[in-house]
Amino acid sequence: MLVRCIRAFRPGGVLYRAFATVRYHQRGDPADVLRLEADDDVSELGPREVAVKMLFAPINPSDINQVEGSYGVLPTLPAVGGNEGVGEVTAVGSDVTRLAVGDWAVPMPAAGFGTWRNVGKADVSMLQKCPSDIPAEYAATIGVNPCTAYRLLRDFETLREGDTVIQNGANSQVGVAVIQMARDMGVRTINVVRERPPGDNTVELLKSLGADVVVTPAVLGVADDYAEAVAGLPPPRLGLNCVGGSIATSVAKQLDEGGALVSYGGMSLRPITLPATILQDKGVRCDGFWITRWTQDRPREEREAMIADVAEMIKSGRLRSFLERHRFTQFSQAMKEARKPYRSRKVLLDMSR
Ligand SMILES: NC(=O)c1ccc[n+]([C@@H]2O[C@H](COP(=O)([O-])OP(=O)(O)OC[C@H]3O[C@@H](n4cnc5c(N)ncnc54)[C@H](OP(=O)(O)O)[C@@H]3O)[C@@H](O)[C@H]2O)c1
């Protein structure tokens, strides 16, 4: 991966770093295909265009899948990497009324506006105003993971206080948002995380956020051990799956009669297989969720209201994320970190460094 710093001189003679855009011209391993290129020219704007200076942008699993070519929606090549982030509006075209200079803007999911860049311009329909009274790091990650958790807890089962939700990949950023939003609703969570390496504090971290039970796949797979771990909790009404394979099957087996299994990711790259009895006898329903499809199907105002709601949770301290800042100038290193297993922190690119 060719990522180096482009150096330039400011008129005053002070050396500064004008980092640029991480782009790919063919799909493949991010380590091979991502290239550093010069920033786009944002000096001339069309009437519907908006120019932004990017502040922060995460590296999400879906960004990596998109570069590899294995994601549900693929941008036309060449493409700029990254789908999430927050930018400050620096200029707007003559017809733009929804955004103004100084606003913070986040891209609409899978709009095709790559976020791994210092500056960029886009049609106003690709961007959405974001509250600027939350930390910029949180704004950069508000549009996908917390919104997914928000929908997963509302759209598939009517959850009441005292109900239980079970989820795998519970230490993913979607998972930690599920834990905190469920806690706010009075809903208990059973959280499945892979066996951790020595010294890892993921279990303590999840419990500090309000996780009621944290178990490994091994415990989930042994009836007596699982029964002991979840003693006192009602069988879960909702199961959330972002892993697939045998862990998805185990989650489905714990569901209450008539409960729902909702898949939103496939981190293990394995298919989900379910015994017929789960569907026939227990009447478990299976569904899927994709925030991109949801955004396309729903009015913009509904998404704006959801983001405002999530921003309130952030402001009041009810929703925390675990983010690890990396310099954009060290993109290669940041990408290596993002691809490592057993991380409980999202890699976030700081575009100013
Ligand atoms: N459908 C949607 O709308 C939507 C929206 C947002 C996210 N997603 C999907 O949700 C998933 C989580 O996203 P995120 O950004 O929250 O993730 P993240 O914070 O980057 O965390 C990744 C998670 O995946 C787990 N994981 C990685 N490889 C695994 C494997 N081989 N087997 C089991 N677990 C594995 C990690 O566990 P360890 O710590 O044990 O490595 C961690 O819990 C991804 O698949 C993403 O594409 C979907």
Side-chain angles (χ1 to χ4, degrees):
M1 186 190 310
L2 172 63
V3 175
R4 63 195 153 77
C5 191
I6 294 178
R7 293 184 177 273
F9 283 95
R10 211 176 269 171
V14 183
L15 187 66
Y16 76 103
R17 288 182 303 217
F19 201 75
T21 297
V22 173
R23 197 175 268 114
Y24 53 110
H25 292 253
Q26 63 190 86
R27 307 189 207 285
D29 188 323
D32 299 329
V33 300
L34 292 176
R35 295 274 178 275
L36 177 86
E37 296 184 354
D39 278 332
D40 286 342
D41 178 6
V42 295
S43 54
E44 297 274 319
L45 286 186
R48 285 180 48 82
E49 280 187 320
V50 175
V52 292
K53 174 181 87 174
M54 292 306 297
L55 305 175
F56 289 97
I59 301 180
N60 284 325
S62 54
D63 299 328
I64 295 171
N65 296 151
Q66 209 167 46
V67 175
E68 291 168 337
S70 59
Y71 194 60
V73 61
L74 300 175
T76 332
L77 299 179
V80 178
N83 288 288
E84 247 202 310
V86 64
E88 184 182 327
V89 175
T90 53
V92 296
S94 54
D95 291 353
V96 174
T97 52
R98 275 196 297 103
L99 284 167
V101 171
D103 283 348
W104 283 3
V106 296
M108 300 296 280
F113 175 76
T115 52
W116 299 341
R117 54 162 107 210
N118 274 146
V119 295
K121 61 180 175 180
D123 188 273
V124 65
S125 63
M126 294 167 86
L127 298 169
Q128 177 173 2
K129 188 174 171 178
C130 167
S132 53
D133 54 356
I134 56 174
E137 291 91 332
Y138 275 70
T141 50
I142 199 170
V144 176
N145 290 340
C147 289
T148 297
Y150 188 98
R151 297 261 61 98
L152 290 172
L153 290 172
R154 283 166 179 77
D155 294 354
F156 298 92
E157 189 66 44
T158 308
L159 294 170
R160 300 198 172 77
E161 210 172 328
D163 279 344
T164 307
V165 171
I166 182 168
Q167 61 167 345
N168 59 29
N171 63 319
S172 69
Q173 291 309 305
V174 175
V176 299
V178 164
I179 291 170
Q180 296 169 86
M181 290 178 187
R183 178 204 58 206
D184 261 16
M185 297 159 73
V187 168
R188 274 86 65 90
T189 54
I190 300 167
N191 299 280
V192 187
V193 295
R194 293 196 285 183
E195 192 76 51
R196 314 313 294 172
D200 182 289
N201 67 347
T202 300
V203 175
E204 293 74 24
L205 204 63
L206 299 190
K207 290 204 163 169
S208 75
L209 297 176
D212 294 274
V213 174
V214 184
V215 292
T216 58
V219 170
L220 189 62
V222 177
D224 287 350
D225 293 352
Y226 177 75
E228 188 181 329
V230 303
L233 295 183
R237 299 288 315 150
L238 179 66
L240 304 175
N241 165 56
C242 72
V243 176
S246 59
I247 305 180
T249 314
S250 306
V251 163
K253 282 182 178 170
Q254 306 309 336
L255 290 173
D256 198 5
E257 287 199 6
L261 175 72
V262 183
S263 284
Y264 66 95
M267 292 301 297
S268 72
L269 304 178
R270 298 195 179 282
I272 304 169
T273 49
L274 295 178
T277 48
I278 290 183
L279 306 173
Q280 288 165 206
D281 305 354
K282 284 179 83 180
V284 165
R285 293 164 290 125
C286 295
D287 215 329
F289 177 78
W290 189 25
I291 191 78
T292 302
R293 186 161 15 91
W294 185 89
T295 306
Q296 284 160 355
D297 290 351
R298 312 301 284 226
R300 176 181 276 268
E301 295 72 37
E302 204 174 336
R303 181 170 165 79
E304 283 169 358
M306 172 170 64
I307 289 197
D309 217 1
V310 173
E312 271 311 312
M313 296 178 192
I314 293 168
K315 265 192 282 181
S316 62
R318 281 147 50 223
L319 181 62
R320 289 165 59 204
S321 296
F322 295 95
L323 307 166
E324 184 180 281
R325 283 195 200 185
H326 287 254
R327 293 165 186 254
F328 188 38
T329 47
Q330 291 172 2
F331 182 85
S332 304
Q333 188 54 35
M335 176 57 84
K336 273 190 199 146
E337 285 298 323
R339 300 179 82 185
K340 284 183 183 166
Y342 308 115
R343 301 184 49 84
S344 290
R345 289 179 184 277
K346 177 70 64 189
V347 169
L348 189 68
L349 301 167
D350 179 345
M351 300 304 177
S352 67
R353 294 161 72 222

